[in-house]
Amino acid sequence: MKDNSSLSELLLSDTSISDIFIVQHMASLSKDALCLYMWLNMTCGKAQTFQESDIEGYGLLSKSDADKAVAELIARGLIVVDDKKYSFIDLKKAEVDSYIKRRFGEDVSGSVKGFSTESKERDVLAASINKTFFQGHMNYLYFRLIDTCLFEYKFESSVVYRLFQEGRELKIHLKTDEMLKLADNWNKRGYKTTESLNAYFDTKKRTTEIAALLGKLARKHLNDLDYEKIDKWVNEYHATPEMVKYAFVVNDYRTQVKVIHVDEKLREWYAAGVKNLDEANVYEAERYSENKAKASRKRAKDNVWRTGKEAGITSDNSENKPVAEPEKAVPADDDDDPILGMFGGDDEDY
């Protein structure tokens, strides 16, 4: 008889993970959350429930990291907790329920929230996006996104396609949350037609150029706060790379020029109505002249040899008046001389 005892030492089982998880959630999860979800599916998948002891039994995550991973899975709608008892969300059921609610529970006229599956243009567009960007495995949320863009946001079909192309270039096309944010951003900024979309690409180009320039000038790796400032410079202040460079240069009197200094200068120009590099040069030249004049007046005020006007003693009118000559001394008569009077009279009396 053949000995099969050695087979018990091999791990030959399989863990089933739905395609919805792979397409819709996997790319958005942190490494810890992804590892924990896969491990729990392997050890507790059939039971569909687990406890904190099962999470602790994983052993590769600290208590704090495990808590963060669990919180992330709950926030993503992958697990739920009820009285310290955890259970998996049935992703397939949730997908079907969402489709039914969207398809039959709301307006399906294609005017606002619903969509019309009878739209041939929509079907052709969705099929093209599904094949090009998802290899035929696009989940329902993206079909909903296409419908939202077409019927609610009123995007042209070419703009919707370009949205997914942009998502892949940014490596977010598999992250539903990021794609929804991108579509909402385009809608708020009015990128609904191919023509208006050119403004987006101009903005994107300037943002990229400014980020590269700023990183080189400041000699640092830009963080999220820096990119938020750059986004404001481009979209609100309409700053060009040349203006950003000049805003950096006019701060070179500082020991170290920081991004916040550039931000303050661009904000100052924007408040003053400065729209381009030439106007910025004029503004800074005028400001330099004003500061130079103020410094000159201050030096005069501190000068001990300053004039009466500089010292604030005399008025402007007094300086134009001629200075009065001192009165000449008039010699006194002899009779009036008190010293001679002590000797009793004139010389003739002697």
Side-chain angles (χ1 to χ4, degrees):
M1 185 175 179
K2 188 176 180 180
D3 184 9
N4 293 322
S5 60
S6 60
L7 294 178
S8 63
E9 299 176 3
L10 301 176
L11 185 62
L12 301 177
S13 58
D14 298 314
T15 299
S16 177
I17 300 293
S18 68
D19 291 343
I20 298 174
F21 171 79
I22 296 173
V23 175
Q24 184 172 329
H25 299 284
M26 185 178 68
S28 300
L29 291 175
S30 67
K31 178 183 176 182
D32 288 347
L34 177 60
C35 290
L36 181 61
Y37 185 80
M38 299 291 285
W39 180 270
L40 290 172
N41 267 273
M42 181 183 71
T43 57
C44 312
K46 293 181 179 180
Q48 289 295 303
T49 60
F50 53 93
Q51 298 178 349
E52 290 187 3
S53 58
D54 298 312
I55 300 174
E56 294 173 358
Y58 183 26
L60 294 180
L61 296 176
S62 66
K63 181 66 168 60
S64 60
D65 289 340
D67 290 342
K68 291 179 182 178
V70 170
E72 186 177 346
L73 294 175
I74 293 175
R76 289 290 306 178
L78 293 170
I79 61 175
V80 293
V81 57
D82 182 19
D83 193 23
K84 296 184 178 181
K85 186 176 182 180
Y86 297 88
S87 59
F88 293 98
I89 296 293
D90 188 335
L91 297 181
K92 294 180 181 179
K93 181 177 183 301
E95 180 83 349
V96 172
D97 290 344
S98 178
Y99 176 82
I100 292 175
K101 180 180 179 181
R102 178 76 169 180
R103 184 65 182 84
F104 301 106
E106 298 178 358
D107 174 27
V108 293
S109 63
S111 58
V112 182
K113 292 185 178 180
F115 60 85
S116 174
T117 56
E118 297 178 359
S119 172
K120 183 177 180 180
E121 182 181 1
R122 177 260 184 194
D123 292 342
V124 171
L125 175 63
S128 178
I129 291 174
N130 185 18
K131 180 179 179 180
T132 304
F133 303 108
F134 300 94
Q135 292 75 48
H137 293 86
M138 185 169 72
N139 74 315
Y140 172 61
L141 281 179
Y142 288 116
F143 284 98
R144 288 177 55 185
L145 176 58
I146 293 172
D147 296 325
T148 299
C149 290
L150 288 174
F151 304 122
E152 184 175 347
Y153 294 163
K154 307 298 182 183
F155 287 0
E156 291 181 355
S157 296
S158 58
V159 175
V160 179
Y161 187 89
R162 190 63 185 87
L163 176 76
F164 282 86
Q165 190 174 29
E166 179 70 3
R168 185 166 68 176
E169 291 177 4
L170 296 174
K171 301 187 185 304
I172 63 171
H173 67 297
L174 296 179
K175 301 178 180 180
T176 53
D177 292 344
E178 296 296 324
M179 287 298 296
L180 291 172
K181 289 179 182 178
L182 181 62
D184 185 60
N185 183 40
W186 282 21
N187 178 53
K188 290 179 179 177
R189 294 182 176 177
Y191 305 146
K192 301 174 183 287
T193 65
T194 302
E195 183 177 351
S196 65
L197 194 59
N198 292 331
Y200 167 76
F201 293 115
D202 176 66
T203 297
K204 181 183 177 182
K205 180 181 178 182
R206 279 190 291 146
T207 300
T208 303
E209 291 177 355
I210 289 174
L213 174 65
L214 190 63
K216 183 179 180 180
L217 291 173
R219 297 180 180 180
K220 61 168 292 189
H221 294 291
L222 303 183
N223 54 37
D224 291 341
L225 293 177
D226 296 330
Y227 279 103
E228 286 181 9
K229 287 184 174 63
I230 293 174
D231 184 71
K232 180 178 62 177
W233 300 346
V234 172
N235 293 291
E236 184 177 344
Y237 300 164
H238 306 290
T240 62
E242 294 75 18
M243 292 177 68
V244 172
K245 183 177 181 179
Y246 186 47
F248 190 95
V249 170
V250 296
N251 276 288
D252 61 3
Y253 64 89
R254 302 178 185 274
T255 304
Q256 180 183 5
V257 183
K258 299 181 179 180
V259 176
I260 190 172
H261 299 140
V262 179
D263 183 62
E264 290 171 352
K265 179 57 65 175
L266 290 171
R267 183 168 64 248
E268 179 184 339
W269 289 348
Y270 179 73
V274 174
K275 299 181 178 63
N276 52 53
L277 182 60
D278 291 337
E279 293 181 3
N281 275 289
V282 172
Y283 175 86
E284 288 300 316
E286 293 176 349
R287 191 166 179 268
Y288 173 78
S289 298
E290 292 174 0
N291 291 338
K292 187 176 180 181
K294 289 179 181 178
S296 179
R297 289 194 294 271
K298 185 178 186 302
R299 285 194 299 269
K301 184 177 180 181
D302 295 337
N303 186 1
V304 296
W305 300 104
R306 60 190 183 277
T307 65
K309 179 182 177 181
E310 291 172 340
I313 299 173
T314 62
S315 64
D316 293 340
N317 294 332
S318 63
E319 285 200 357
N320 297 326
K321 294 180 180 180
V323 179
E325 296 182 2
E327 295 182 1
K328 294 181 180 180
V330 180
D333 293 336
D334 292 344
D335 293 340
D336 297 331
D337 192 336
I339 302 299
L340 295 177
M342 293 174 60
F343 299 95
D346 301 331
D347 294 339
E348 296 178 354
D349 294 338
Y350 287 95

